[in-house]
Amino acid sequence: MLLGIYFLSVFYGDFEQFNADKMSSTIGYTFIILATTLLAFKALFFIYKAYNYYKYKPIASVSDKELPTCTVIVPAYNEGKQVYDTLISLDNSNYPKHKLQIISIDDGSKDDTWDWMLDAKKKLGDRLEIYQQPKNQGKRHALYRGFNLGTGDVYVTVDSDSIVTEDTLRNLVSPFIKDENCGAVAGNIRVLNNKKEMLPKMLDVSFVLSFEFVRSAESNLNSVLCTPGALAAYRSTAVHNCLPQWINQTFMGQPSDIGEDRAMTNMILKQGKHVLFQKNAVAYTNVPEEYIGLYKMFIRWGRSNVRENLEMAKYVFTNFRAKGKSATRILFISQFVKILMSYPLLISMLFFVLVHPLLFLGSTLVSILVVSTFSVLFFTSQYKTTQGFWAYSYSILFTFALFWITPYAIATANRRGWLTRGLAEQK
C-alpha cells in the first residue's frame, strides 16, 4: 500500500490527464457520470447501514420458562471427529434439556463421520438422534429430513464443522418470543481454525464486518438477507409453509443443490416475516485454508446470490409485508447493483490496466487503504486486538486474486455442485 501511495504520487499528473481525456469524449463522460453516481450511491448506502448498525441491539435471552422447544439439526458429510465436537458443544448448551432435541444426519459420508456420530450417541444417549442417508443427496435433503423429524417450535441448523458457545442457542431463539412476526434468526459466525494459516485470519476479520456490521444493520430493518448455514434458527411454521417449494426448488430447469440457507431466508421474507440477527449467538466454524478451497466456496456463494436475487426480484416490489418494505427494497437494490455492475467494472479495470498499469496499481492500493481502514478500526473497536490489520491483506487478495468470482458466478449461475465437497474427500 505504501508502494501504491508512491505510484499515485508519481503518476498523479497522468491520473488528472486520464480523467481529462475521458471527460472530452462522450463515452468517457458517460463513464465518469455513471462512476460518480455509483460512488455516491455506495457512500449514501454506507451511511444508511452505519445508522442502522448504531440503532441495532441484540435481544437478551428470555427465561428458561419462556424458551421455546427447539430442534437442532446437524447435517454432516466427511467431517470426521469434528462432528463429534459439534454435537458435544450443542449438548453443553445452557438450554433446558427437556426442551432441546438434537438430530444429526450423515449424508452418505465416505470417511469415519458415522463412527464419530455413534461415539457421540453413546455419550449423549437419548439426548441425541442420529440417522444415515441411504446415499449422498446433498445438504438440502439432509436438512429436509431433519425438518420433517423435528418436533420443536423452532428449528436450528448448525454445520457439522461448527462449535457453539454455551449461551448461543438460548440467545439465538429468544427473538421468536419477543417478536411474534419473527420467522428466522441469523447467528454470528466467527472462524474456528484461525490460529495458524493466513486465509482463516483474513476471513475472521471479514466475517466480523459481514455479520456484526452488515447483518446488524439489516436486522434493525427486520430484513437480514441470508441466515448462514453454520448457525441459523427458523420458526417451524414458517419452514413448513415453504418446505415443498424449498426442497423442489429449481434454477433453469436444474434442481438447486446449493444456497439452501439463502433460499430458505428468501422464502421466509416472502411470507412477510421478519428476519433478524443475534450478535450474542456465536458459532465458530472452519473455513478453507488454501486458495482453491476459498475461491470454490466464493463461487458457490456467488451463484446462490445471483439465483436468490432473481427470486427476490419477483416479490420485493409487491405488497409482501405490512411494514418495512422500503428498507427491504433498498437492501435488494444494493445487492442487485453489485451484480449489474460486475461486468462494467471488470471491463473498466482491464482497460485501466492496459492503458496505465502502474497508475492502476497505485490508485487501487490507495483505495484499498482508504476503504479497508474502516474494517480495521471496526474489528479493533469490537475485539481490542491488532488482528484487524488482516483486513488490508484480505482486500488486496480479493481485489487481485478473487475479482473474477462475481462475473464468473453470473456466467455459470446454472451450474450445480457444492464444489468444496471434493476437497474434503481428497483430505
Side-chain angles (χ1 to χ4, degrees):
M1 287 184 290
L2 291 174
L3 186 65
I5 294 172
Y6 172 74
F7 281 151
L8 189 61
S9 64
V10 169
F11 298 111
Y12 189 75
D14 292 9
F15 182 71
E16 289 186 319
Q17 185 61 46
F18 185 73
N19 284 330
D21 291 342
K22 284 197 292 185
M23 289 291 286
S24 63
S25 68
T26 303
I27 295 176
Y29 182 76
T30 304
F31 175 82
I32 291 292
I33 295 297
L34 287 174
T36 303
T37 302
L38 181 62
L39 184 61
F41 171 77
K42 288 179 71 68
L44 289 172
F45 184 69
F46 174 79
I47 294 170
Y48 181 66
K49 284 194 297 185
Y51 171 78
N52 281 284
Y53 162 76
Y54 177 76
K55 298 284 287 183
Y56 165 81
K57 285 182 174 58
I59 294 171
S61 170
V62 298
S63 66
D64 284 4
K65 184 178 179 181
E66 294 175 288
L67 284 171
T69 55
C70 176
T71 297
V72 183
I73 305 165
V74 183
Y77 179 76
N78 288 359
E79 286 297 347
K81 184 179 183 298
Q82 184 61 57
V83 68
Y84 176 88
D85 296 336
T86 298
L87 296 172
I88 297 302
S89 77
L90 288 166
D91 184 68
N92 289 336
S93 295
N94 179 18
Y95 205 96
K97 298 300 182 185
H98 67 282
K99 291 187 175 183
L100 184 62
Q101 177 189 27
I102 304 175
I103 298 174
S104 187
I105 299 167
D106 177 17
D107 186 29
S109 296
K110 299 178 181 179
D111 64 356
D112 59 352
T113 294
W114 179 247
D115 294 331
W116 284 107
M117 288 170 63
L118 288 170
D119 285 350
K121 174 68 175 174
K122 289 176 185 176
K123 183 176 179 64
L124 303 182
D126 293 340
R127 300 195 301 276
L128 172 65
E129 301 172 32
I130 59 174
Y131 302 90
Q132 271 186 309
Q133 295 285 71
K135 62 178 181 179
N136 176 237
Q137 295 175 283
K139 184 179 178 182
R140 189 178 298 229
H141 283 271
L143 287 172
Y144 179 73
R145 186 173 180 181
F147 289 144
N148 283 301
L149 290 168
T151 59
D153 293 325
V154 173
Y155 297 145
V156 172
T157 62
V158 178
D159 279 351
S160 54
D161 59 353
S162 302
I163 302 295
V164 300
T165 61
E166 188 178 65
D167 291 327
T168 288
L169 292 182
R170 64 185 305 125
N171 289 335
L172 186 69
V173 305
S174 290
F176 295 103
I177 304 303
K178 295 294 186 179
D179 181 357
E180 62 181 15
N181 199 37
C182 177
V185 179
N188 187 7
I189 309 302
R190 296 292 305 277
V191 173
L192 181 63
N193 56 328
N194 66 341
K195 301 300 185 289
K196 295 181 180 179
E197 302 297 331
M198 288 193 299
L199 283 182
K201 292 177 186 294
M202 296 181 198
L203 286 171
D204 193 33
V205 177
S206 173
F207 278 17
V208 167
L209 186 71
S210 176
F211 285 90
E212 299 187 21
F213 179 73
V214 175
R215 281 175 175 79
S216 291
E218 293 177 347
S219 185
N220 193 59
L221 300 170
N222 298 320
S223 300
V224 173
L225 298 184
C226 183
T227 53
L231 179 66
Y234 307 99
R235 194 181 293 275
S236 60
T237 52
V239 169
H240 287 287
N241 284 341
C242 63
L243 198 55
Q245 178 189 358
W246 179 77
I247 193 60
N248 294 309
Q249 186 183 32
T250 61
F251 183 78
M252 297 182 69
Q254 297 288 328
S256 294
D257 58 352
I258 60 171
E260 72 293 326
D261 47 2
R262 179 75 193 275
M264 180 62 77
T265 310
N266 221 356
M267 292 176 186
I268 290 176
L269 279 171
K270 187 179 179 180
Q271 296 175 37
K273 301 294 185 183
H274 295 164
V275 180
L276 307 178
F277 165 70
Q278 280 288 80
K279 179 183 175 182
N280 54 8
V282 183
Y284 292 85
T285 193
N286 284 316
V287 298
E289 297 182 349
E290 298 175 358
Y291 176 73
I292 186 171
L294 181 67
Y295 81 69
K296 287 188 173 185
M297 181 179 74
F298 280 176
I299 289 172
R300 187 177 73 245
W301 289 357
R303 288 172 179 165
S304 173
N305 191 43
V306 172
R307 296 179 184 190
E308 294 308 319
N309 271 287
L310 292 174
E311 286 299 315
M312 197 172 184
K314 297 176 182 178
Y315 74 83
V316 74
F317 295 105
T318 67
N319 190 30
F320 71 97
R321 181 192 284 176
K323 295 181 180 179
K325 294 185 289 290
S326 297
T328 312
R329 290 165 183 167
I330 291 171
L331 295 174
F332 165 76
I333 289 169
S334 174
Q335 289 269 320
F336 212 80
V337 164
K338 290 180 183 178
I339 295 173
L340 288 177
M341 294 305 298
S342 61
Y343 281 103
L345 289 175
L346 178 63
I347 292 169
S348 62
M349 182 188 79
L350 295 176
F351 175 76
F352 198 179
V353 171
L354 290 173
V355 171
H356 206 315
L358 293 182
L359 180 57
F360 165 78
L361 184 63
S363 59
T364 300
L365 289 172
V366 170
S367 298
I368 288 172
L369 174 63
V370 173
V371 174
S372 297
T373 295
F374 174 77
S375 296
V376 174
L377 294 176
F378 184 81
F379 188 93
T380 303
S381 69
Q382 296 293 104
Y383 294 101
K384 313 302 180 188
T385 75
T386 59
Q387 294 296 308
F389 282 91
W390 286 105
Y392 293 126
S393 305
Y394 177 76
S395 294
I396 292 171
L397 173 71
F398 194 90
T399 302
F400 294 101
L402 297 168
F403 66 91
W404 56 274
I405 294 289
T406 299
Y408 181 77
I410 294 171
T412 61
N414 64 320
R415 291 190 186 177
R416 302 178 62 195
W418 196 258
L419 298 181
T420 50
R421 283 193 158 189
L423 298 178
E425 291 172 18
Q426 290 168 19
K427 289 180 180 179

